[in-house]
């Protein structure tokens, strides 16, 4: 039987060699690229770049995490112009002009570009950060502090520009510009609006102390800057807060209680001083606010606070302050609703006015003992005539709210100086001047004179722009410039000039002059009848004068007129009213009958001589 043989072989050299190679390899490690190599030429959207097994990655720090940012390697179509973290932020130095920035398009989905700008503030102040869209569809801006926390900012839109108005305290702050789904160019600008001069809330309000009412400056730096003031009232005291500024329809001044009860408000449309007032009935805190939500900024105003003290004059007939004509009394209206009442004894037939010292005018009413109205007007126009003796009251209130203090004097002007009808008129003679005083805006002063037959008179009155003249009894009247009237009289009669005030005028002066005695009648009723051939001469003695003649002419017959009349007009009126303007030379009568020849046309007080001859051919 045959048995198989198993031979045992010894190991070869190959395994040994492999073991040696592996042993040698285990003595040397492979080196991976570090941060400097892996991140060379790369940027992070935010955070810090580092090497992860040779691959570049971005790590968010505490600031980025607080800001809610995603940190990744930037992959944009263009190199990023502004970084997104504090260490790569663009530093802003003030003052600055608008600069251009760019939100870049990402190469990967959800790759968003954020441009970060840093500014270091040395003291608390107001600022404006503006982003103007060039190609960028939307500007989104966040304010971040040194820890990465976001802070709210009010904003305003002005076309393509959006502005944010933060109040920055001392330290470093960051403005982040981004856009949700858009990319493109924009401009950015940071401007300092200065220090907020007065707080915006009750807690930060400037406390106003009662004093001399010294003016102090107030500046509104933006539509979101409201300057707030506070004061504590005393019972019975009146208060006024007054701000003078340029016209601004968006500027508003309000007065309210600390609990929000609105007491007074006014807007700056007219440019007149803004004024709010209060007559306090209790001791409490009050809030004043000056603000403007639109318009041009900054808005500068000069304001003052006045404690007007307690009301020194009663507000009713029962508590009225007695006054004596001619004795001045100081008046302060504590609020726009305050009424100061004064009592006095009025004499029958006497005229009373008031005189005030201090800018402004105020509402003035006079009532009798029963409270019935006697006169209601303003202090500068009050002139009232009493019909009977008795006690009267003068009520003063209103006026411009910033003109609240003045000196008032009651004036007894005596009885009316001139009558108010032709029957009670004061007479004036030619060559003299007379003056008058209007007792009230409704007063009429009648001045009269007697005329001579065919006399011409000139009446001159002043101030002519503030007077109404109504002549009665005159035949020929012609008004000239400068408050002058010419009068011509056919016969002796009374002419009365009724004068009334306009525009609050208090008095007048009137001068009467006799200009001439007319040499020829002025009307066809009194015309001189001419017998042909005729020759006449005379003078047209003013613009109101006309010289008139009558003559019988035959239809179809020729006549010759020899006329030397300078600038005068010669007019011929035929029977039936047919009118013809005559010149020197020959003319043919169109109708038979009595014709009337008029010579007129002088200018003002000009006296023009004339001469004519008239004969039939």
């Amino acid at each position: 039987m045959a048995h198989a043989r198993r031979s045992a072989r010894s190991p070869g050299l190959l395994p040994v060699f492999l073991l040696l190679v592996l042993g040698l390899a285990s003595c040397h490690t492979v080196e991976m690229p570090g941060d400097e190599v892996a991140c060379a030429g790369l940027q992070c959207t935010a955070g810090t770049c580092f090497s992860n097994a040779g691959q570049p990655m971005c790590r968010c720090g505490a600031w980025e995490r607080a800001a809610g940012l995603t940190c990744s390697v930037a992959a944009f179509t263009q190199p990023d112009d502004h970084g997104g973290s504090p260490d790569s932020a663009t530093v802003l130095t003030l003052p600055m002009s608008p600069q251009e920035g760019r939100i870049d398009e990402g190469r990967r989905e959800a790759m968003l570009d954020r441009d970060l700008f840093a500014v270091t503030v040395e003291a608390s102040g107001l600022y404006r950060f503006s982003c103007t869209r060039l190609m960028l569809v939307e500007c989104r801006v966040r304010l971040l502090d040194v820890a990465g926390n976001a802070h709210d900012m009010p904003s305003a839109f002005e076309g393509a520009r959006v502005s944010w108005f933060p109040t920055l305290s001392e330290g470093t702050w960051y403005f982040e510009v981004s856009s949700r789904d858009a990319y493109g160019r924009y401009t950015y600008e940071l401007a300092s609006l200065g220090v907020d001069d007065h707080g915006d809330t009750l807690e930060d309000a400037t406390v106003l102390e009662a004093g001399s009412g010294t003016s102090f400056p107030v500046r509104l730096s933006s539509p979101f800057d409201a300057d707030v003031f506070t004061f504590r009232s005393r019972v019975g005291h009146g208060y006024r807060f007054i701000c003078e500024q340029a016209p601004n329809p968006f500027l508003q001044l309000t007065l309210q209680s600390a609990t929000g009860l609105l007491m007074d408000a006014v807007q700056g449309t007219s440019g007149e001083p803004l004024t709010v007032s209060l007559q306090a009935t209790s001791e409490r805190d009050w809030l004043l606010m000056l603000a403007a939500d639109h318009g041009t900024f900054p808005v500068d105003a000069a304001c003052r606070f006045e404690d007007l003290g307690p009301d020194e004059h009663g507000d009713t007939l029962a508590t009225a302050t007695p006054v004596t004509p001619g004795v001045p009394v100081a008046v302060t209206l504590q609020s726009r609703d305050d009424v100061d009442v004064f009592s006095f004894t009025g004499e029958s037939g006497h005229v009373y006015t008031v005189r005030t010292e201090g800018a402004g005018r105020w509402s003035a009413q006079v009532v009798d003992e029963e409270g019935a109205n006697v006169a209601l007007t303003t202090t500068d126009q009050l002139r009232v005539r009493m019909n009977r003796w008795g006690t009267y009251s003068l009520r003063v209130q209103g006026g411009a709210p910033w003109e609240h203090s003045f000196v008032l004097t009651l004036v007894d002007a005596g009885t009316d100086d001139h009558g108010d009808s032709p029957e009670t008129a004061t007479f004036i003679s030619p060559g003299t001047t007379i003056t008058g005083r209007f007792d009230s805006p409704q007063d009429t002063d009648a001045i009269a004179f007697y005329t001579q037959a065919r006399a011409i008179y000139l009446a001159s009155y002043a101030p002519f722009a503030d007077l109404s003249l109504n002549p009665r009894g005159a035949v020929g009247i012609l008004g000239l410039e400068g408050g002058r009237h010419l009068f011509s009289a056919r016969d002796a009669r009374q002419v009365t000039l009724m004068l009334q005030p306009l525009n609050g005028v208090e008095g007048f002066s009137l001068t009467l002059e006799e200009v001439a005695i007319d040499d020829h009648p002025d009307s066809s009723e009194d015309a001189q009848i001419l017998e042909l051939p005729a020759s006449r001469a005379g003078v047209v003695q003013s613009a109101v004068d006309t010289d008139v003649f009558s003559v019988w002419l035959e239809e179809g017959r020729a006549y010759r007129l020899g006329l030397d009349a300078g600038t005068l007009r010669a007019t011929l009126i035929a029977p039936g009213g047919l009118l013809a303007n005559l010149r020197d030379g020959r003319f043919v009568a169109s109708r038979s009958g009595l014709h009337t020849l008029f010579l007129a046309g002088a200018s003002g007080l000009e006296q023009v001589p004339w001469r004519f001859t008239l004969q039939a051919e």
Side-chain angles (χ1 to χ4, degrees):
M1 175 175 182
H3 295 278
R5 298 182 61 183
R6 178 183 298 173
S7 62
R9 295 182 180 178
S10 61
L13 294 176
L14 181 60
V16 175
F17 177 76
L18 291 175
L19 289 173
L20 290 174
V21 170
L22 291 174
L24 291 172
S26 64
C27 296
H28 296 83
T29 61
V30 178
E31 292 188 6
M32 298 298 172
D35 294 349
E36 183 176 353
V37 174
C39 297
L42 299 178
Q43 289 180 289
C44 292
T45 58
T48 305
C49 182
F50 69 98
S51 173
N52 181 12
Q55 297 298 316
M57 297 187 69
C58 292
R59 178 188 298 113
C60 287
W63 190 94
E64 288 80 10
R65 289 192 295 272
L69 300 180
T70 299
C71 300
S72 58
V73 176
F76 299 112
T77 56
Q78 299 183 65
D80 195 7
D81 54 348
H82 301 288
S85 290
D87 58 353
S88 60
T90 298
V91 177
L92 302 181
T93 303
L94 301 184
M96 64 171 290
S97 57
Q99 302 293 317
E100 186 171 315
R102 186 182 66 249
I103 297 298
D104 293 311
E105 181 182 6
R107 294 184 180 275
R108 298 194 300 271
E109 188 175 355
M111 175 66 63
L112 300 179
D113 185 18
R114 299 173 185 271
D115 290 349
L116 195 66
F117 304 94
V119 63
T120 299
V121 175
E122 296 182 356
S124 178
L126 302 174
Y127 290 82
R128 181 187 68 241
F129 185 87
S130 299
C131 178
T132 302
R133 294 176 284 109
L134 300 179
M135 300 300 293
L136 189 64
V137 175
E138 175 195 31
C139 267
R140 307 181 73 186
V141 175
R142 289 199 302 167
L143 174 66
L144 304 165
D145 61 23
V146 71
N149 300 311
H151 295 258
D152 291 334
M153 297 182 293
S155 61
F157 291 81
E158 305 168 76
R161 185 175 72 173
V162 186
S163 296
W164 288 261
F165 298 89
T167 299
L168 304 182
S169 58
E170 181 181 358
T172 299
W173 294 86
Y174 300 93
F175 293 93
E176 179 194 80
V177 179
S178 64
S179 187
R180 181 178 303 174
D181 298 313
Y183 55 90
R185 295 180 298 110
Y186 66 92
T187 63
Y188 61 91
E189 180 186 14
L190 180 65
S192 172
L193 303 181
V195 178
D196 193 3
D197 50 355
H198 303 285
D200 296 353
T201 64
L202 176 60
E203 293 73 18
D204 300 324
T206 298
V207 177
L208 301 174
E209 301 291 347
S212 62
T214 302
S215 178
F216 58 89
V218 176
R219 166 168 284 195
L220 302 180
S221 300
S222 76
F224 306 98
D225 181 18
D227 283 353
V228 180
F229 310 87
T230 184
F231 69 95
R232 189 165 186 82
S233 63
R234 298 174 62 184
V235 178
H237 279 227
Y239 299 91
R240 297 202 183 219
F241 188 73
I242 304 170
C243 292
E244 298 183 37
Q245 75 300 315
N248 186 336
F250 305 107
L251 189 64
Q252 185 177 54
L253 177 64
T254 59
L255 168 65
Q256 61 186 47
S257 68
T259 58
L261 177 63
L262 183 65
M263 297 298 294
D264 200 359
V266 64
Q267 287 186 305
T269 304
S270 67
E272 295 177 334
L274 293 176
T275 306
V276 290
S277 61
L278 169 75
Q279 194 157 9
T281 58
S282 62
E283 184 174 339
R284 62 192 303 181
D285 291 324
W286 297 92
L287 197 66
L288 293 154
M289 179 181 292
L290 184 67
D293 55 3
H294 290 87
T296 303
F297 292 88
V299 175
D300 290 306
C303 301
R304 65 183 186 272
F305 174 66
E306 299 180 356
D307 180 350
L308 304 177
D311 195 1
E312 74 275 51
H313 303 295
D315 295 358
T316 65
L317 302 181
T319 59
T321 299
V323 293
T324 301
V327 179
V329 58
V331 180
T332 297
L333 298 173
Q334 269 69 22
S335 72
R336 68 173 74 246
D337 299 320
D338 186 22
V339 179
D340 282 354
V341 184
F342 308 91
S343 63
F344 65 96
T345 300
E347 299 287 342
S348 178
H350 280 227
V351 174
Y352 294 87
T353 67
V354 293
R355 183 175 62 250
T356 57
E357 298 176 29
R361 63 176 183 174
W362 298 266
S363 174
Q365 182 184 24
V366 176
V367 299
D368 61 18
E369 292 173 296
E370 287 75 35
N373 179 67
V374 177
L376 177 59
T377 180
T378 54
T379 51
D380 60 330
Q381 294 190 15
L382 179 64
R383 295 174 189 85
V384 57
R385 183 191 305 163
M386 301 307 181
N387 294 325
R388 59 183 176 85
W389 181 93
T391 299
Y392 295 85
S393 295
L394 170 64
R395 296 165 48 90
V396 179
Q397 68 180 125
W402 58 91
E403 296 168 342
H404 48 73
S405 297
F406 54 98
V407 174
L408 180 144
T409 304
L410 179 69
V411 178
D412 182 349
T415 57
D416 194 3
D417 52 353
H418 303 295
D420 54 9
S421 68
E423 294 74 25
T424 59
T426 300
F427 280 85
I428 185 174
S429 300
T432 61
T433 298
I434 197 169
T435 61
R437 183 192 69 252
F438 295 114
D439 302 329
S440 72
Q442 295 75 36
D443 187 23
T444 298
D445 280 354
I447 309 298
F449 62 94
Y450 286 116
T451 67
Q452 296 185 55
R454 293 167 56 181
I456 298 174
Y457 298 90
L458 175 68
S460 305
Y461 53 92
F464 69 91
D466 299 319
L467 294 172
S468 171
L469 177 66
N470 179 22
R472 297 186 184 179
V475 175
I477 307 172
L478 180 65
L480 304 179
E481 294 181 351
R484 298 178 300 162
H485 273 71
L486 282 168
F487 300 92
S488 64
R490 293 177 57 185
D491 50 21
R493 63 174 62 198
Q494 176 180 328
V495 175
T496 305
L497 307 180
M498 311 292 286
L499 292 160
Q500 290 183 310
L502 301 174
N503 308 320
V505 69
E506 297 183 6
F508 68 91
S509 65
L510 174 69
T511 301
L512 182 67
E513 300 174 58
E514 184 180 284
V515 175
I517 300 296
D518 196 3
D519 52 355
H520 298 286
D522 287 359
S523 66
S524 57
E525 293 85 353
D526 302 326
Q528 294 182 28
I529 298 177
L530 300 176
E531 296 291 340
L532 300 184
S535 176
R536 294 291 186 272
V539 177
V540 172
Q541 290 156 318
S542 69
V544 78
D545 186 20
T546 301
D547 289 345
V548 184
F549 304 89
S550 295
V551 61
W552 184 275
L553 301 178
E554 296 180 15
E555 181 179 354
R557 189 166 184 180
Y559 296 88
R560 182 166 296 278
L561 175 67
L563 180 62
D564 180 11
T567 58
L568 300 179
R569 298 184 306 275
T571 305
L572 185 68
I573 299 180
L578 184 62
L579 183 146
N581 291 319
L582 298 181
R583 296 182 180 179
D584 183 65
R586 182 177 182 274
F587 69 92
V588 177
S590 59
R591 295 183 182 179
S592 295
L594 192 62
H595 291 62
T596 306
L597 175 64
F598 295 87
L599 290 169
S603 175
L605 297 175
E606 178 187 24
Q607 298 196 2
V608 182
W610 54 264
R611 178 181 300 276
F612 73 83
T613 60
L614 181 61
Q615 59 186 3
E617 289 190 345

